[in-house]
Amino acid sequence: YLRQHQLSSLYTNAPVGLAFLDLDMRYAAANMQFARMAGRPLGEIVDAHVEQVYAPDIAAWILQASRRILDSGEISRIEFRFPGREETFLVVGTRVTDETAQPIGVSVVTIDITDRKRAEDEMRDRDALYRAVVELGPNVLWVSGADGTLTYISPAPQEPEGCTMEARMAAWYARMHDDDIPRVRAEWSSAVQTQDAFETRFRLRWFDDRWRWVSSRATQRTAADGTRSWFGVFTDISRQVELEDQLARHARGTGLP
């Protein structure tokens, strides 16, 4: 009795789409959120067969996925978008069994993830822009926490699709010249402790596999919530270092101090 009332309240008030498909592939139950996401009135969904609710190609896909869930017992998680609509939904299907462990249908939970997908698309666009910037005039952005732990670094132009932030940071570290790593780490640790502006230079194996000199600079900023972070950039200064070396050689050759 209590479970039935809890289920009724859940279907009424849940912020996600809920539905139940029986073994005949009819919707034995659905809530208003599910109907809104399906784009049909609730009265046209409850007690209706899947083929009566959706276009033939979508209905065939739902029937195939539902029968696979019933046969395997595996939880299905699929991102879905109706043709001609902007919304993206995460559809989770789970086999439901009775007290004797016999399947009686499929529980369907549908979550609107449109905003999340839009944010992911915007992040991919920004990453593509960063890659283009790095290729044309290599400036690499990075962020770390107040304790000096790196939390973000802009993507490399040849970075594989779907690369995690941890893998990206490890790849950048691996490009540093071994002889420069101890010195740079010591200088960075000192800046973190004193909270002074940070600036150093080191050698980095660039994307053309040539060693280049880069300058790394960073300052601390405080967010509205009081959180402090380091925001930095390192820039290719190979030409600058080359000119400095030429001037130094010239000075030695002329005996100038």
Side-chain angles (χ1 to χ4, degrees), residues 38-71:
R40 298 290 296 273
L42 184 60
E44 296 180 7
I45 295 178
V46 177
D47 294 330
H49 192 275
V50 168
E51 293 176 335
Q52 297 174 297
V53 177
Y54 305 103
D57 55 339
I58 297 176
W61 170 74
I62 293 175
L63 290 173
Q64 181 182 21
S66 299
R67 287 166 181 150
R68 185 170 60 249
I69 293 169
L70 287 171
D71 292 340

Side-chain angles (χ1 to χ4, degrees), residues 138-142 215-219 231-235:
N139 292 295
V140 179
L141 308 178
W142 56 271
S215 167
S216 184
R217 309 182 308 278
T219 57
F231 292 87
V233 59
F234 57 80
T235 306

Side-chain angles (χ1 to χ4, degrees), residues 10 25 27 97 119 124 127 134 176 178 184 211 219 228 255:
L10 181 64
M25 296 292 104
Y27 284 106
T97 60
R124 279 193 292 270
D127 281 355
V134 169
M176 290 183 65
D178 290 342
V184 173
W211 288 102
T219 57
R228 295 185 65 83

Side-chain angles (χ1 to χ4, degrees), residues 186-199 220 230:
E187 292 172 349
W188 175 236
S189 297
S190 176
V192 170
Q193 292 176 1
T194 61
Q195 298 188 11
D196 292 332
F198 171 72
E199 183 170 3
Q220 274 200 3
W230 290 87

Side-chain angles (χ1 to χ4, degrees), residues 234-256:
F234 57 80
T235 306
D236 184 358
I237 59 168
S238 299
R239 181 56 178 164
Q240 175 185 334
V241 172
E242 181 181 345
L243 292 174
E244 290 173 354
D245 289 344
Q246 290 177 1
L247 288 173
R249 288 196 298 269
H250 178 72
R252 288 194 297 270
T254 57
L256 295 174

